[in-house]
Amino acid sequence: MGVRGLQGFVGSTCPHICTVVNFKELAEHHRSKYPGCTPTIVVDAMCCLRYWYTPESWICGGQWREYFSALRDFVKTFTAVGIKLIFFFDGMVEQDKRDEWVKRRLKNNREISRIFHYIKSHKEQPGRNMFFIPSGLAVFTRFALKTLGQETLCSLQEADYEVASYGLQHNCLGILGEDTDYLIYDTCPYFSISELCLESLDTIMLCREKLCESLGLCVADLPLLACLLGNDIIPEGMFESFRYKCLSSYTSVKENFDKKGNIVLAVSDHISKVLHLYQGEKKLEELLPLGPNRALFYKGMASYLLPGQKSPWFFQKPKSVITLDKQVVSMSSDPESRQEVPMCTDPESRQEVPMCTDPESRQEVPMCTDPESRQEVPMCTDPESRQEVPMCTDPESRQEVPMGTDPESRQEVPMCTGPESRQEVLMWTDSESRQEIIMYTGHESKQEVPVCTDPISKQEDSMCTHPEINQKLPVATDSEFKLMCTNPEIKQEDSANVGLEIKQQVTMVSDTEILKVARAHHVQAESYLVYNIMSSGEIECSNTLEDELDQALPSQAFIYRPIRQRVYSLLLENCQDVASTCPAVKEWFVYPGNPLRHPDLVRPLQMTVPGGTPSLKTLWLNQEPEIQVRRLDTLLACFNLSSSREELQAVESPFQALCCLLIYLFVQVDTLCLEDLHAFIAQALCLQGKSTSQLVNLQPDYINSRAVQLGSLLVRGLTTLVLVNSACGFPWKMSDFMPWNVFDGKLFHQKYLQSEKGYAVEVLLEQNRSRLTKFHNLKAVVCKACMKENRRITGRVHWGSHHAGRWGRQGSGSHRTGSGYSRSGQGQPWRDQGPGSRQYEHDQWRRY
């Protein structure tokens, strides 16, 4: 995470940039300097999860009561000294960082394999050196902090950018996290969470100014240094040969410096003594071996520029009539669209020329004025020739048609227009970077402008960028809110002319009112994955503690997929009639055997809701009391449990949601037995009477690998409940399936071991008679609902040999076959169900 080698360099070579500070003293100084302003710390929550998770046990599925208590203590400590905390969570993975995300997930898979090997060998939890955060920790931490009354926000892009931007714009006391990118951003001070002593509120402040002093650089040089060293956008190997050339010419190498430290010093020396000589005179591609990675490099540089900032390293000579003159110099407001349009200056006419932004390539497109019609005509710039390409208007369709130039004939070639989306799309390939560049025009195109939300003012900031440097600048907008998702399969080439390609856009969701509601819930961290599905049609789920060698238990990614497919059908409302024509949702779900080279393409699955599937406007916006019944009907339909509505309605809170989840699990997975059900119910009932201290002192006799998997499986089911409840308009209270209310890892492990040994139910319930009645009621609800699906839950002694590796059921539960699972014969070993880009829909499961 962050800049490659920089953390080690700071620790070993430049420890003087780390200063011990005290938050209480800093807060007092801030209040005296800014009277009436509350000292605020922006917290990168994703960096803090390991610090916050202090419970000793982590292998059994999570000690959620203990964790919630630790979070409460953390918040109280800062509140007591008058410091306000703002928590940011990653809301999505940016495409530029997907490769790095995949790399880390695959590394986690190897760590998980070692964990299970250790468990089977020693029957105990591994040491903290093998610590792996419990499944769902990031998701449930959001809700825990909100329960504690904290302002919690979910990002619309990479969280570190929004954290740095918020800290700068709101004059915050500093940023609390563990990411060297915060040394690169020109923002407020950066404090280390790993060095924080909560009792004294002492920690380490990493000073970027002192870093620059040590390296002979200025703060504006740090983004360049970060990209040359490698970060989450620029692969470390891209400039490896360049770094070693710098190292070979660096004459001040000291023997006590480590190799990586020498590289940081050598690259910094090259920037200060060589590149600075040509700053402002030559482009970076003339000074560095960018080659085909030019566009990616500029993108990496620009990722560190916060709204309103500029880089002295971005330079462009005026080669055509319209130039950006290195920087957008003014803003104008379009009164009709209420969208600010960045203006660049024509150096010859001295007139300001409005710019429009390509939302995918993030390039700005100059607008010139047609002297006859006096209408603005968008201009797109050829990255090679730097010439503007005019957009002509089709007199019949009244749509603008881009004009591409054939390099052979030098003639302008009109480009096609997508008839359905009413959007002109011009696409060509940059011969240097080999990257596709797509230009969009047309006022009524259903294309989202990338936005960054100010969580305080709730204003949307469109990120307008320099066509070459991709520099982000704020432009307020609230006019167009129609989102597009590119279908990678629909692509055709214009072979008659210059090899230009036309990409037809597929609209995921076009209802702007619903999208704004989804977006608001997302930003306020009140939902999970809903906005991602509706906007980009792409979601991800990180690693789960699953044993790749255990063929009897399926991965949670497969078990809960039918639920997600029904949710897709609900959220993508135009897909409810004919699921086969609906675009697939891209799922980046980690499971054993999935190399993550491509996402799984998963199509929506139609569901049956009594009375018909209600619209999202009905579920989300209608406040009539009777609509709550429709919300619950829709939620149960997502689990395909409409027939068990009456039984579930009779269950008291918070066990209603848990029973729903258990019914679904036992219907789906044949290898779950009666002893498992007893353990799940007994731990939930006993948890209600346990204090946090009692749970801390609880110690299972030993660790069982199957129980470890079941604990993680149930927690992933609780995150799935969060998704479904959000999509259906919150028919249930979120607190009913927060794990600190219904699940404890060690307690479940204890009950599992007891149940496996054949202990009586009374022993599982700790001889509590009141729990015994509830236990039998909950068990009856689950068993009765399963019998409706021809699923009889039996004890382990009744198992036949066919249970060894089979998990799909055959019979009347046709919904399971409809979800895409092949259940013929003895079923298929789930580990062999193919990863990658295969599309998952009806009867599409095949052996990989």
Side-chain angles (χ1 to χ4, degrees), residues 380-389 405 407 428-430 437:
C380 58
T381 305
D382 182 339
E384 285 298 311
S385 65
R386 308 292 179 200
Q387 292 180 348
E388 270 66 74
V389 183
T405 304
W428 69 85
T429 301
D430 183 342
I437 300 172

Side-chain angles (χ1 to χ4, degrees), residues 491-542:
K491 182 188 293 187
Q492 60 186 121
E493 295 186 1
D494 182 358
S495 58
N497 296 298
V498 292
L500 302 178
E501 292 181 276
I502 306 301
K503 276 189 177 181
Q504 177 62 48
Q505 303 296 306
V506 179
T507 301
M508 293 298 287
V509 174
S510 58
D511 190 324
T512 58
E513 183 180 15
I514 285 298
L515 280 170
K516 287 182 179 180
V517 174
R519 185 176 185 272
H521 285 311
H522 173 93
V523 170
Q524 296 301 320
E526 295 169 350
S527 65
Y528 173 57
L529 295 182
V530 170
Y531 183 68
N532 307 63
I533 294 166
M534 299 176 72
S535 58
S536 65
E538 188 167 10
I539 62 173
E540 54 277 322
C541 180
S542 189

Side-chain angles (χ1 to χ4, degrees), residues 346-363:
D346 180 345
E348 294 187 13
S349 64
R350 301 294 180 185
Q351 292 181 347
E352 289 186 333
V353 182
M355 307 293 295
C356 64
T357 304
D358 167 13
E360 190 156 320
S361 67
R362 296 197 170 196
Q363 292 195 340

Side-chain angles (χ1 to χ4, degrees), residues 110-128:
R110 295 189 291 271
E111 293 176 0
I112 290 172
S113 295
R114 289 194 291 270
I115 289 171
F116 275 100
H117 178 76
Y118 185 94
I119 293 172
K120 293 173 184 177
S121 302
H122 299 83
K123 293 188 179 300
E124 65 181 15
Q125 175 179 279
R128 193 75 178 187

Side-chain angles (χ1 to χ4, degrees), residues 391-402 414-415 417 424:
M391 313 293 284
C392 68
T393 303
D394 183 342
E396 294 183 7
S397 63
R398 300 181 63 83
Q399 292 185 343
E400 292 175 341
V401 181
M415 302 308 299
T417 300
E424 296 97 17

Side-chain angles (χ1 to χ4, degrees), residues 169-347:
Q169 293 175 353
H170 294 85
N171 191 30
C172 291
L173 187 64
I175 293 169
L176 186 60
E178 202 67 31
D179 188 339
T180 48
D181 278 333
Y182 293 124
L183 269 175
I184 307 300
Y185 287 110
D186 187 3
T187 181
C188 57
Y190 161 43
F191 306 106
S192 169
I193 181 65
S194 65
E195 300 293 336
L196 174 65
C197 174
L198 195 59
E199 290 76 18
S200 64
L201 281 179
D202 287 340
T203 190
I204 295 294
M205 180 179 74
L206 292 89
C207 180
R208 62 183 65 87
E209 287 76 15
K210 289 184 179 180
L211 175 65
C212 289
E213 184 180 337
S214 300
L215 298 177
L217 303 176
C218 60
V219 173
D221 297 330
L222 292 179
L224 177 59
L225 174 66
C227 290
L228 291 176
L229 294 176
N231 54 27
D232 290 348
I233 295 178
I234 308 297
E236 189 174 7
M238 183 180 294
F239 293 102
E240 186 171 9
S241 60
F242 169 79
R243 290 193 295 270
Y244 279 101
K245 285 181 181 178
C246 293
L247 187 61
S248 64
S249 62
Y250 182 56
T251 57
S252 303
V253 177
K254 297 181 182 180
E255 293 181 0
N256 61 331
F257 284 179
D258 65 299
K259 181 180 178 181
K260 286 193 174 182
N262 282 335
I263 289 177
V264 174
L265 290 170
V267 174
S268 301
D269 185 71
H270 184 81
I271 292 173
S272 63
K273 294 181 179 178
V274 179
L275 300 186
H276 270 174
L277 296 176
Y278 302 99
Q279 190 178 50
E281 296 181 9
K282 290 186 178 182
K283 297 180 182 180
L284 281 175
E285 58 262 37
E286 299 176 55
L287 303 172
L288 296 171
L290 302 186
N293 303 308
R294 180 174 58 117
L296 182 62
F297 181 79
Y298 278 118
K299 199 165 194 176
M301 287 273 292
S303 69
Y304 291 110
L305 299 181
L306 303 179
Q309 294 180 349
K310 61 182 180 179
S311 171
W313 290 103
F314 292 146
F315 174 81
Q316 183 180 8
K317 293 181 180 179
K319 286 188 175 181
S320 55
V321 176
I322 298 177
T323 67
L324 292 178
D325 198 20
K326 289 201 254 186
Q327 182 70 27
V328 175
V329 295
S330 64
M331 298 285 185
S332 73
S333 178
D334 180 347
E336 292 187 10
S337 65
R338 297 173 59 193
Q339 176 173 351
E340 289 186 354
V341 182
M343 307 294 292
C344 69
T345 304
D346 180 345

